[in-house]
Amino acid sequence: MRITDIIKELDLKVISGNSSITNEVTGGYVSDLLSDVIGNAREGNIWITVQTHQNVVAVASLKDLAAVIIVKGLQPDSDTIEKSNIENIPVLSTETDTFNIAGRLYELLNKK
Amino acid sequence: MQIRHKIAGGDFTRAGNVASAVKKVLQQINIDHKQSKRIVIALYEGEVNVVAHAYSGVVDIDIDSEKIKITIADKGPGISDIEKAMQEGYSTATPQVREMGFGAGMGLSNMKRNSDFMNITSIPGEGTTVELINFIKPDAN
Ligand SMILES: Nc1ncnc2c1ncn2[C@@H]1O[C@H](COP(=O)(O)OP(=O)(O)OP(=O)(O)O)[C@@H](O)[C@H]1O
Ligand SMILES: [Mg+2]
């Protein structure tokens, strides 16, 4: 499934990094600990987090993640937005919380 | 090829800049993607450790036809028990640093996993030096 389909289905807002939103998604990863994401997220995953600072984009880019979803309507820092446009990492946003968005993403990615 | 970068302790707005600069260089000179990705991940964790735990650091990157060698030397509190620091989950990160999502105590093990060789030397009260080597496979590219 492509990021664009997920954006539509989960009603996500695209904040930045638009250039890569047609990329393919391999799965999801949920964590607010950056080293945990570095150790365990897989290439092409969508990462769901409450973190909003620029290291989120740095980690997503190092791990070749598909996109980041920031939950609870939290606003990414301005340097996060800037970096995501440079690194081509889509930063997406939802008003809902981690539990609900992860549940909906799981359902969507595992639907036959 | 030799490159040198500096790291400022405590400055999380610039943490990761050295790793992303090195990533671009390795892409330009066509180093095997898998090996360069691993070493850049290890470098990122090492860079963040200097920012989170030390006062200042210098990164030396040395690339030849066989390997990428990275040395991260910092001035800082040092590590008195390296074996303990290597254990997953062990962290002395401050509450402010943890709030940003650092301090899982997984950085050093990520560095170990993403390098072919890693060596840490440290003098408590003076600083820490981490050496990382990834070998470039001759059949890559
Ligand atoms: N450069 C350093 N100078 C001083 N102490 C360090 C340094 N690097 C690591 N340490 C010590 O080793 C511990 C473990 O490091 P490690 O990178 O594994 O975890 P962390 O930095 O605490 O958290 P994480 O990397 O998961 O965000 C640190 O909490 C710190 O006490
Ligand atoms: Mg660390």
Side-chain angles (χ1 to χ4, degrees), chain A residues 35, chain B residues 45-46 48-49 52-53 102-103 105-108 111:
Chain A
S35 288
Chain B
E45 289 283 18
V48 171
N49 277 353
H53 308 296
F102 300 103
M106 293 175 70
L108 289 173
M111 289 165 79

Side-chain angles (χ1 to χ4, degrees), chain A residues 13-45:
Chain A
K13 193 168 120 198
V14 181
I15 294 182
S16 53
N18 314 42
S19 58
S20 313
I21 57 172
T22 52
N23 286 0
E24 205 62 39
V25 174
T26 56
Y29 197 73
V30 177
S31 184
D32 299 323
L33 297 170
L34 275 65
S35 288
D36 174 41
V37 175
I38 290 176
N40 298 301
R42 306 209 172 201
E43 191 168 326
N45 282 180

Side-chain angles (χ1 to χ4, degrees), chain A residues 27-96:
Chain A
Y29 197 73
V30 177
S31 184
D32 299 323
L33 297 170
L34 275 65
S35 288
D36 174 41
V37 175
I38 290 176
N40 298 301
R42 306 209 172 201
E43 191 168 326
N45 282 180
I46 285 199
W47 172 20
I48 302 171
T49 185
V50 297
Q51 301 295 350
T52 55
H53 53 87
Q54 62 92 15
N55 282 274
V56 169
V57 175
V59 168
S61 170
L62 286 177
K63 292 291 291 183
D64 296 322
L65 302 185
V68 179
I69 300 177
I70 297 176
V71 296
K72 296 196 289 189
L74 293 165
Q75 271 300 310
D77 302 352
S78 57
D79 55 353
T80 305
I81 294 174
E82 213 174 295
K83 197 175 176 109
S84 74
N85 287 325
I86 296 168
E87 301 280 338
N88 301 316
I89 299 290
V91 174
L92 314 171
S93 151
T94 178
E95 291 299 318
T96 189

